Amino acid sequence: MEMAKLPEDVVKFFHSQPFTIVSTVDPDGMPHISCKGIVKIDPDGTIYLLDLYTGRTRANLEKNPAISLSAVDEHKFKGYSLKGNARIINEDELKSHIIKAWEEKLAARITHRLIKNLKGEPGHERHPEAQLPNPKYLIAMTVNEIVDLTPPPLR
């Protein structure tokens, strides 16, 4: 299958999401989902996600590179699912600009949570993002298909 070029509106949509749902397939053929943050998106169809834990997602991808990323914006009633294949980039191969991009996203998430707390919107009081471990590896996903999850207009 050919790599799908990502339209600008899809790139912007995924960049605006605090996290995405990553789906992989375990050795028994069962789906496994986890939450991951996007670090970088190349409009050519490559998406980079850092994984903070070495667990089921990595084990699944090592046996079967099939992956999908999904995100929805409940307020706008809009979403996408991206399907493709992944390759693993080990921790010792991570480039400094990828780590820097992750740190910037983390700082933005902490700032966003602080602002919400100051506005009186209840949330997690401990700022869990500040306690996250360093990334263990990078997932480089090649997108082959874009699925628009936005329902058609009602008549």
Side-chain angles (χ1 to χ4, degrees):
M1 202 176 245
E2 192 173 310
M3 185 185 311
K5 189 168 175 67
L6 299 172
E8 188 176 334
D9 61 324
V10 172
V11 171
K12 284 182 181 178
F13 178 82
F14 275 94
H15 272 308
S16 72
Q17 303 307 307
F19 67 91
T20 60
I21 303 295
V22 174
S23 301
T24 58
V25 181
D26 75 14
D28 295 325
M30 296 300 292
H32 168 73
I33 64 166
S34 58
C35 299
K36 309 274 182 236
I38 292 175
V39 178
K40 182 180 176 195
I41 300 175
D42 286 336
D44 71 352
T46 305
I47 298 178
Y48 299 92
L49 305 112
L50 278 173
D51 199 345
L52 307 180
Y53 306 98
T54 303
R56 289 185 186 172
T57 300
R58 181 177 181 137
N60 291 345
L61 291 173
E62 287 173 343
K63 292 188 181 346
N64 180 347
I67 187 171
S68 73
L69 272 183
S70 301
V72 295
D73 182 325
E74 180 184 11
H75 184 68
K76 293 180 181 173
F77 213 63
K78 180 178 185 172
Y80 294 96
S81 181
L82 307 176
K83 298 178 183 182
N85 290 298
R87 65 184 169 85
I88 302 224
I89 299 171
N90 291 312
E91 182 179 13
D92 59 342
E93 299 173 70
L94 293 179
K95 306 286 187 228
S96 61
H97 71 280
I98 295 290
I99 298 297
K100 184 174 177 0
W102 170 248
E103 289 170 348
E104 288 170 359
K105 283 206 173 233
L106 209 52
R109 286 182 64 170
I110 292 168
T111 302
H112 181 72
R113 186 181 299 279
L114 282 169
I115 290 169
K116 281 188 149 197
N117 286 351
L118 289 171
K119 288 181 177 178
E121 298 177 34
H124 200 287
E125 68 282 350
R126 291 195 194 138
H127 308 290
E129 293 90 351
Q131 300 169 15
L132 291 173
N134 288 331
K136 299 297 182 205
Y137 67 98
L138 184 72
I139 299 169
M141 175 188 180
T142 301
V143 177
N144 299 35
E145 182 181 355
I146 303 166
V147 180
D148 189 342
L149 301 176
T150 307
L154 298 174
R155 293 184 180 205

